[in-house]
Amino acid sequence: MPTVSIITPCYNQGAFIQETIDSVLSQEFKDFEYIIVNDGSTDDYTNEKLKSVSHPKIRVIHTKNQGLASARNTAIENAAGEIILPLDSDDTIGKHYTQEAIKVLEKDSDVGIVYCIAELFGEQKGVWELPDYTLEKMLMNNQIFHCAFFRKKDWQTAGGYNPNMVFGWEDWDFWLSIIELGRKVHRLPGVHHQYRIRENSMVRQMQLEHRIAMRAQVMKNHSKLYIDNSDILAKIVEDYQKPFKDVLWTKVKNRLSLSKT
């Protein structure tokens, strides 16, 4: 069985998927499989492209449209590797990424998430400026992009990606689930991930109300973690009450319903 399973949900991204595939196949670490989930694509080009993929390391699974969280879960359910790396269908990874991450994971069994420095390409270029990981920063905003390594057993224990993150940020929610298991987070010093910026990307199209709803959902999904760090929760409430003293903030508070009972 392979050590690593790299997984890619693909929905109507046939125009970019070959770049993604090429970056995966260029990995110096060769003990991997690559699983692509065609998440109910409606684009003829994407469907034909994925039907034509033929490589001994690649499996393509065709499903009805499930959404990103469920599509990732489907790929991981079918994965043979003990280590998982999600990769979006319009992004790429550097050839050393898997090799460097495996070194860290094999050295320390307490490490549950390994990520790196990323660079932007497409409509925006440059290093993706994310602050160093701390739990406080992570509870306030996501500090880890989706393309990070984790152990399949931790995914199983955490319950996978939560499909109730219907408008996005399912990766933030999932990383908090791994952190709740007591796992450590490690960031590699090099640039190993290239994140494509597009005008119509899912995150850029998130409406303000959806952003607030998903923040509330993250806090609800991990209410114990937030309550256990009540000083951070107080900062979040203070920060969000300033710009949102209208009906949006009322919706957030009603959705959270957090208590220490």
Side-chain angles (χ1 to χ4, degrees):
M1 293 192 299
T3 299
V4 176
S5 295
I6 302 173
I7 63 150
T8 294
C10 182
Y11 177 74
N12 292 345
Q13 294 293 326
F16 306 111
I17 190 65
Q18 190 60 53
E19 290 179 72
T20 308
I21 292 172
D22 291 344
S23 75
V24 171
L25 295 179
S26 72
Q27 295 300 288
E28 286 195 344
F29 184 89
K30 298 300 183 184
D31 188 18
F32 72 88
E33 66 173 352
Y34 186 30
I35 299 174
I36 302 172
V37 174
N38 181 7
D39 187 31
S41 293
T42 58
D43 172 60
D44 289 341
Y45 180 82
T46 298
N47 285 318
E48 291 304 315
K49 177 66 179 177
L50 293 178
K51 286 177 183 178
S52 70
V53 172
S54 178
H55 192 280
K57 284 188 174 294
I58 302 177
R59 281 188 286 154
V60 180
I61 300 172
H62 300 272
T63 70
K64 64 180 181 180
N65 184 252
Q66 309 170 80
L68 188 54
S70 295
R72 284 184 183 151
N73 287 335
T74 294
I76 298 169
E77 285 168 1
N78 287 274
E82 62 183 52
I83 305 298
I84 307 295
L85 175 67
L87 175 63
D88 281 356
S89 56
D90 58 348
D91 295 342
T92 63
I93 51 176
K95 65 180 181 180
H96 303 299
Y97 194 18
T98 306
Q99 179 176 275
E100 295 302 313
I102 291 299
K103 290 178 184 177
V104 174
L105 290 164
E106 289 183 343
K107 184 178 180 180
D108 189 345
S109 60
D110 290 331
V111 172
I113 303 171
V114 178
Y115 68 119
C116 65
I117 300 171
E119 61 184 357
L120 308 174
F121 74 112
E123 293 189 7
Q124 186 177 340
K125 294 178 173 60
V127 174
W128 191 353
E129 298 291 350
L130 286 174
D132 293 339
Y133 166 82
T134 67
L135 178 58
E136 177 176 353
K137 292 175 183 175
M138 191 68 181
L139 289 173
M140 297 189 77
N141 291 288
N142 190 15
Q143 308 300 316
I144 306 171
F145 44 70
H146 77 280
C147 187
F149 291 82
F150 57 90
R151 304 176 195 274
K152 184 173 179 178
K153 65 180 182 180
D154 288 341
W155 169 85
Q156 293 170 325
T157 303
Y161 288 90
N162 198 325
N164 69 14
M165 301 299 295
V166 293
F167 298 119
W169 290 349
E170 70 293 322
D171 50 345
W172 181 18
D173 179 78
F174 179 66
W175 299 138
L176 290 176
S177 296
I178 300 295
I179 291 165
E180 283 179 307
L181 300 178
R183 296 301 192 186
K184 295 191 294 188
V185 176
H186 181 93
R187 186 173 76 174
L188 298 169
V191 175
H192 300 288
H193 174 46
Q194 294 75 42
Y195 183 84
R196 189 188 302 270
I197 299 295
R198 294 183 293 111
E199 184 62 34
N200 63 343
S201 65
M202 180 177 176
V203 171
R204 296 186 78 176
Q205 287 189 326
M206 263 180 98
Q207 298 177 13
L208 178 60
E209 187 169 357
H210 292 165
R211 289 174 181 269
I212 296 173
M214 288 300 92
R215 177 177 290 275
Q217 190 65 61
V218 164
M219 295 168 72
K220 186 174 183 179
N221 289 349
H222 306 280
S223 57
K224 185 179 185 304
L225 184 61
Y226 278 93
I227 291 171
D228 288 346
N229 293 273
S230 56
D231 55 332
I232 300 173
L233 178 57
K235 290 181 181 179
I236 295 171
V237 172
E238 182 181 357
D239 287 347
Y240 267 72
Q241 277 182 325
K242 292 173 184 175
F244 304 114
K245 289 185 177 179
D246 56 10
V247 66
L248 292 182
W249 177 241
T250 301
K251 289 181 180 180
V252 171
K253 288 192 292 185
N254 290 340
R255 188 162 186 165
L256 263 177
S257 299
L258 291 177
S259 70
K260 294 189 178 181
T261 58

